[in-house]
Amino acid sequence: MNTTERRISTTVLVIGTGGSGLRAAIELAEQGVDVLALGKRPRMDTHTSLAAGGINAALGTMDVEDSWQQHAADTIKESYFLANPHTAEIVAQGAAGGIADLERYGMAFAREDDGRISQRFFGAHTYRRTAFAGDYTGLEIQRSLVNRAAQLDIPVLDSVYVTRILTRDGAVFGAYGFDLTDGTPYLIHADAVILAAGGHNRIWRRTSSRRDENTGDSFRLAVEAGARLRDPELVQFHPSGILEPENAAGTLVSEAARGEGGILRNALGERFMERYDPERMELSTRDRVALAAYTEIKEGRGTEKGGVWLDVSHLPRETIMSRLPRVYQTMLELQMLDITAEPIEIAPTAHYSMGGVWVRPEDHSTEVDGLYAIGEASSGLHGANRLGGNSLIELLVFGRIVGRAAAAYSAGLEAQHRSHDAEAQARAEVADLLGADGHENVRALQRAVRNTMTEHAGVVRDEQGLVAGLRELDEIEARTQNTGVHPDIAGFQDLAHAFDLKASLIAARATLEAALERRETRGCHNRSDYPDLDPALQVNLVWSPRTGVVREEIPPVPDELAELVQEVSTAGKLVE
């Protein structure tokens, strides 16, 4: 282990090297501001690279009637009126600029014969506004951002795990962390910190995230720095995650499989969507299809392994190979399954954190001076159901805005005060864990958290289960006092897992406590003991360990958007 602490100073520190972090870093570099980006996984393998469907902007290339106002109205409606209207306006208005940025960085969008960017229906959009690149849109976006960051010589350290954001008197002055390979401690001084380290859906057993991402790192770093979380209970469950192999459980089968004509059946061979949405069937919304599959499994009509069947084998082979190449390839690699001949066994899987760190709509600043949050780490846009394709455009719009806001904040500082105590505390936290030699295995405790959340805070929740979940969480937290951390020749992953566990526990507690408080069914949040939507709960729930859950009013929807909120015709298109 290298014990010599590396000390670095930068104007703005970005934590996370996915789409939102890199876009913010690019903005800062283009403005001539010193920036450093840190990540805990390789920059080409971030969560953004998994996004398949597409990216939304009211470009009007296919439907000239489309407008940013209609995009904002669709977003607000689909959020079950929990989105902040101002946030929705900013994203919808800035979306075309976000697409233009990607073009400037060299992204190859799918195009029509005359050169226009192709746009397709995706989700409950009034018009065709989802631009795409095959079913690898996220990967293409990430590639474009990585290339632009390289052109600008932005320093990216993608093996540094951040353990703490450093603050003094309610303002940030940097961060502390360590190198995952050799354990080198890092002390980074910065005027501003941008938190772009993802969500918390890895705290469920089946999830579309990989093993060591989205464990709630952003939530923990923000909360320990003095920020709060908003709507942590609002988690989107994707209807179609695979069940095996276990190390890939939750890997997504793209919704394009349903969009192209895939059929859902239970173990009895029944096409069960007839019971839940007879008009839209498999083209229903993400929250409804997930709830339908969950109900079939829960009531005993699921497969032996606890899933349902998604079948595309009746489709022409050419359709599958040209429209679903990634699904075909993935299933062949993971299960040796030929989807042109066999159905796929799937179940609902935790997919996206629609809540996140509390931020102001205009610049995504938090209540901690100099601390910003963007992407899945933040909150305000998606409410109780995310509109498909909105997450990728959010990264670009707020990446640009937050980059500029952080630069302006730094320029306005007359001096920056640091705290030796805060630095010493961060060092001690790492040293204590490295010295821990208890009998509890960190991985086993992480699994215990995932089991608790899956059992008590999955697609459907109730008071009894949520209270039981909080009791189990108390027991797991008590066991963490006796963990053992053992770095080895392969590196310091074990230390990272110990911090991941701390993050998961905070994220799980916030989720359970907010889910308990939201005594209604709204969008992704299903309470079997409160099956109706409660108008009194058209509020955001804001959580911190200091205050618990408090209700926060949502600003009214402006008249020009309110009159555009409408039931969207879903004939012939995949709904989200």
Side-chain angles (χ1 to χ4, degrees), residues 23 54 71 88 97 138 211 247 268 319-320 334 350 374 376 384 394 397 402 422 429-430 441-442 467 529 536 576:
R23 180 63 190 87
H71 182 188
R211 274 183 77 163
N247 65 351
L268 307 175
T319 301
I320 291 171
L334 292 176
I374 42 176
E376 203 173 349
E394 180 190 17
V397 173
V402 169
E429 185 179 34
V430 173
N441 179 290
V442 169
V467 170
D529 47 352
E576 227 254 293

Side-chain angles (χ1 to χ4, degrees), residues 451-467:
N451 288 341
T452 292
M453 295 305 287
T454 301
E455 188 62 34
H456 302 300
V459 177
V460 178
R461 298 132 180 213
D462 63 35
E463 186 116 7
Q464 195 181 347
L466 293 166
V467 170

Side-chain angles (χ1 to χ4, degrees), residues 353-376:
S353 305
M354 293 182 292
V357 178
W358 186 97
V359 290
R360 296 179 181 91
E362 56 278 2
D363 62 359
H364 273 216
S365 58
T366 67
E367 293 146 308
V368 181
D369 291 345
L371 177 63
Y372 302 81
I374 42 176
E376 203 173 349

